[in-house]
Amino acid sequence: MTSGTDLIPAPRNVVAGSGEVRLTAHSQLYAGPGAEGVGRWLRAVLGAATGLPLREGRELDDTEGDGIGLLLDPHLGPEEYRLVSDPAGVLVEGGSAAGVFWGAQTLRQLLGPAAYRRAAVEPDRTWAVPHLTIEDSPRFPWRGLMLDVARHFMPKEGVLRHLDLMAAHKLNVFHFHLTDDQGWRLRIERYPRLTEVGSWRTRTKFGHRASPLWDEKPHGGFYTQDDIREIVAYAAERHITVVPEIDVPGHSQAAIAAYPELGNTDVIDTASLSVWDSWGISPNVLAPTDNTLRFYEGVFEEVLGLFPSEFVHIGGDECRKDQWRASPAAQARIKELGLADEDELQSWFIGHFAKWLSARGRRLIGWDEILEGGIAEGAAVSSWRGYGGGIAAARAGHDVVMCPEQHVYLDHRQADGADEPVPIGFVRTLEDVYRFEPVPAGLDESEARRILGTQANVWTEVMEDQARVDYQAFPRLAAFAEVAWSALPAPGERDFADFERRMAEHYRRLDALGVAYRPPTGPLPWQQRPGVLGRPIDGPPPNR
């Protein structure tokens, strides 16, 4: 590829030509039937960056020579696109509006890093697209990013910005982690105390949970239902599906602090609980009662009204069962249901919501612990503890999203240097992420088809603001996006040197977008957190 086509993620096929299409004050943009939304988006971002009017063409012929056409082509796959730049102008065709949109993202890259600015900084600049033909389609239908806003709240504007960054990298699933022990971030109208009480904590641990440091100011925030409607609509305009996560039955201390009757009241004084101010896994879990089931059915009814996604994530991970073992009510429930143990009790709890969601035309997805004690028919699994859960789920006929902690948890540190801020977990370099393979060896063809795709996860215990999230996510998210989109060779055969070369141009795009990424040379002075304790793990991560 030439420097003008240093594209990320790498397209399937590029054939270079010998000239260029120059956009001018006379250029028009025509969006055919079904592509009008992409046309509005492209005119807005390119109009702002270039200062060109890009007037609306009434027909494709209006784009002849120096314009842009956007069309649907039913012969292409749903997210497939073809971009042709030649003497007739620039034509982007997609199998659906999503395909056209991904082609428009490629077009924006072809125009150079300045096309990512919000105002024209070079009034006399020549805006040119090299003559070429690109044919491209994604490897996986699920190309996800999970953002934890429970540990540290990200205001709505930051979430919308995050969606723009996802779209720029052709990622299409936003897993929105909205509830946890440290905060409940979604307004539920019938249960107002979830946000009145559960959305803020009095102070916050600074660093790993073993750190002696505290930020003593209150921390909190939540999204109103109109905020959520705006986020979902903004995502949909960018062909991103928002999958909400409401955690049950563990990671629920914020909910119990708001409504103490949800907890195991026969074991502890749940009325004395507050929203948790430290990190780790809280022992305070939901009681397996009919009252709890009805309460969360009420929560999920409002969730379904806000999020049209096929999948709803219910967590299901890291549920400590000590309180259930000590609870006469929980033990009576195990006996009443004829269950073997507490693992089967959790399976019953999760299974209840799998059936409840299925009856409403939705599907449950949960972390791989939902396999323990049996998994409900139709449920999907986010395989986070390694490949093992995903392999077991795929072999049992369940759909899987691969997001193993050892490979694509972006809270893990990017280098082993002493200046790496709040170092958590294994070292996962840009190259490590680039060599991640979502489909594990050993699956047959039908089992491998159960891998819907892959997802990178951003847990924010040690990310107190947007700049820290940027630092941990980028540039590794760019490598992950290529893994999720492009048909790459086996991990050891991938051309990382070529990816690094293309990243030189991509860093300039990130600069224009205002992303506070980790520079290749290491953290800048203001990105460091000297003296803040992390939890680094030495050696290579287990590949299990």
Side-chain angles (χ1 to χ4, degrees):
M1 294 183 185
T2 66
S3 61
T5 54
D6 287 338
L7 302 173
I8 290 176
R12 184 177 74 227
N13 188 50
V14 180
V15 177
S18 58
E20 62 184 21
V21 173
R22 292 193 174 188
L23 301 182
T24 71
H26 304 291
S27 297
Q28 296 189 41
L29 192 159
Y30 170 74
E36 297 91 346
V38 182
R40 285 191 295 272
W41 174 85
L42 188 60
R43 182 176 290 106
V45 295
L46 292 189
T50 65
L52 299 175
L54 294 175
R55 290 187 303 277
E56 187 172 345
R58 296 181 182 178
E59 55 187 50
L60 187 61
D61 287 350
D62 293 340
T63 68
E64 186 72 29
D66 66 351
I68 300 168
L70 307 174
L71 295 177
L72 265 58
D73 180 346
H75 298 101
L76 297 175
E79 292 192 281
E80 187 175 12
Y81 71 89
R82 178 173 51 247
L83 188 157
V84 179
S85 172
D86 62 18
V90 178
L91 178 62
V92 179
E93 298 172 290
S96 70
V100 177
F101 183 71
W102 304 130
Q105 291 288 355
T106 297
L107 171 59
R108 193 182 187 190
Q109 288 199 16
L110 291 169
L111 285 166
Y116 290 82
R117 298 203 174 274
R118 295 191 186 185
V121 295
E122 301 171 68
D124 300 323
R125 179 191 175 100
T126 298
W127 296 95
V129 181
H131 283 173
L132 45 61
T133 298
I134 297 175
E135 295 173 312
D136 199 10
S137 59
R139 180 183 178 191
F140 295 109
W142 186 300
R143 306 180 302 280
L145 176 68
M146 190 225 71
L147 178 65
D148 164 23
V149 296
R151 273 50 176 267
H152 279 101
F153 179 66
M154 180 178 284
K156 181 189 70 176
E157 178 58 34
V159 175
L160 300 179
R161 172 182 177 269
H162 223 67
L163 291 167
D164 279 329
L165 293 174
M166 288 180 64
H169 292 82
K170 299 186 173 73
L171 298 172
N172 70 340
V173 179
F174 179 51
H175 176 166
F176 206 8
H177 183 82
L178 288 162
T179 74
D180 219 298
D181 299 308
Q182 296 85 1
W184 184 287
R185 305 293 176 216
L186 171 63
R187 174 74 177 180
I188 300 296
E189 299 299 343
R190 73 188 72 184
Y191 305 129
R193 285 176 59 82
L194 285 172
T195 44
E196 290 170 2
V197 174
S199 72
W200 69 279
R201 54 184 183 260
T202 56
R203 64 176 186 168
T204 298
K205 176 68 71 172
F206 192 34
H208 181 253
R209 61 180 175 271
S211 167
L213 303 176
W214 293 89
D215 182 345
E216 294 290 352
K217 69 176 182 291
H219 177 87
F222 64 91
Y223 308 103
T224 67
Q225 295 204 351
D226 274 346
D227 290 339
I228 293 296
R229 292 184 186 100
E230 182 180 354
I231 288 166
V232 169
Y234 195 86
E237 288 174 354
R238 286 146 184 79
H239 300 278
I240 295 170
T241 299
V242 183
V243 174
E245 182 180 355
I246 304 295
D247 233 321
V248 297
H251 288 289
S252 298
Q253 185 167 324
I256 297 168
Y259 290 93
E261 65 271 21
L262 296 174
N264 295 283
T265 56
D266 56 347
V267 177
I268 63 160
D269 176 15
T270 55
S272 68
L273 292 177
S274 58
V275 177
W276 207 19
D277 57 12
S278 191
W279 315 128
I281 307 171
S282 170
N284 296 298
V285 302
L286 298 174
T289 63
D290 288 342
N291 174 66
T292 301
L293 297 181
R294 299 294 88 76
F295 183 96
Y296 274 87
E297 286 170 1
V299 170
F300 282 117
E301 279 180 13
E302 295 193 25
V303 167
L304 297 192
L306 295 168
F307 297 92
S309 56
E310 174 187 6
F311 288 99
V312 174
H313 208 293
I314 52 73
D317 63 315
E318 297 179 328
C319 178
R320 288 191 167 167
K321 302 178 176 71
D322 296 340
Q323 290 182 359
W324 288 355
R325 293 186 186 97
S327 163
Q331 291 302 310
R333 189 108 228 202
I334 289 172
K335 186 175 181 180
E336 169 201 336
L337 296 168
L339 304 177
D341 54 21
E342 291 77 18
D343 283 346
E344 287 194 6
L345 183 62
Q346 176 170 340
S347 179
W348 165 81
F349 195 107
I350 299 297
H352 173 86
F353 287 102
K355 295 186 188 77
W356 190 91
L357 289 167
S358 179
R360 288 154 181 80
R362 306 297 186 95
R363 291 181 66 190
L364 179 147
I365 185 169
W367 303 110
D368 55 55
E369 285 95 332
I370 69 171
L371 291 162
E372 298 166 3
I375 180 175
E377 183 180 350
V381 169
S382 301
S383 188
W384 77 273
R385 291 181 294 180
Y387 288 110
I391 292 170
R395 287 179 173 161
H398 293 273
D399 290 336
V400 176
V401 175
M402 277 294 179
C403 48
E405 174 185 17
Q406 306 90 331
H407 300 280
V408 290
Y409 268 36
L410 300 184
D411 48 312
H412 282 217
R413 57 196 174 129
Q414 304 187 60
D416 59 4
D419 55 358
E420 207 61 36
V422 201
I424 299 294
F426 297 102
V427 172
R428 293 284 86 193
T429 65
L430 184 64
E431 181 171 0
D432 290 330
V433 173
Y434 190 68
R435 297 195 188 280
F436 164 61
E437 173 49 48
V439 179
L443 296 182
D444 66 27
E445 189 176 334
S446 65
E447 293 163 350
R449 282 198 296 270
R450 288 291 183 179
I451 308 299
L452 297 177
T454 183
Q455 180 173 290
N457 293 341
V458 179
W459 300 102
T460 62
E461 287 94 334
V462 298
M463 300 178 215
E464 70 276 8
D465 56 28
Q466 178 178 288
R468 282 285 293 124
V469 173
D470 277 8
Y471 179 92
Q472 291 299 134
F474 290 97
R476 292 182 297 181
L477 194 64
F480 173 81
E482 184 149 310
V483 168
W485 177 277
S486 306
L488 298 176
E493 299 167 14
R494 294 176 188 172
D495 189 348
F496 180 67
D498 178 69
F499 177 78
E500 273 195 310
R501 183 188 62 75
R502 287 181 283 125
M503 276 301 300
E505 181 81 349
H506 199 66
Y507 285 120
R508 296 176 61 209
R509 297 179 192 122
L510 296 178
D511 286 334
L513 287 164
V515 177
Y517 58 83
R518 180 188 188 276
T521 52
L524 298 166
W526 55 88
Q527 293 174 321
Q528 299 172 25
R529 297 291 184 274
V532 182
L533 186 68
R535 186 183 63 91
I537 304 174
D538 293 328
N543 194 33
R544 58 175 185 264

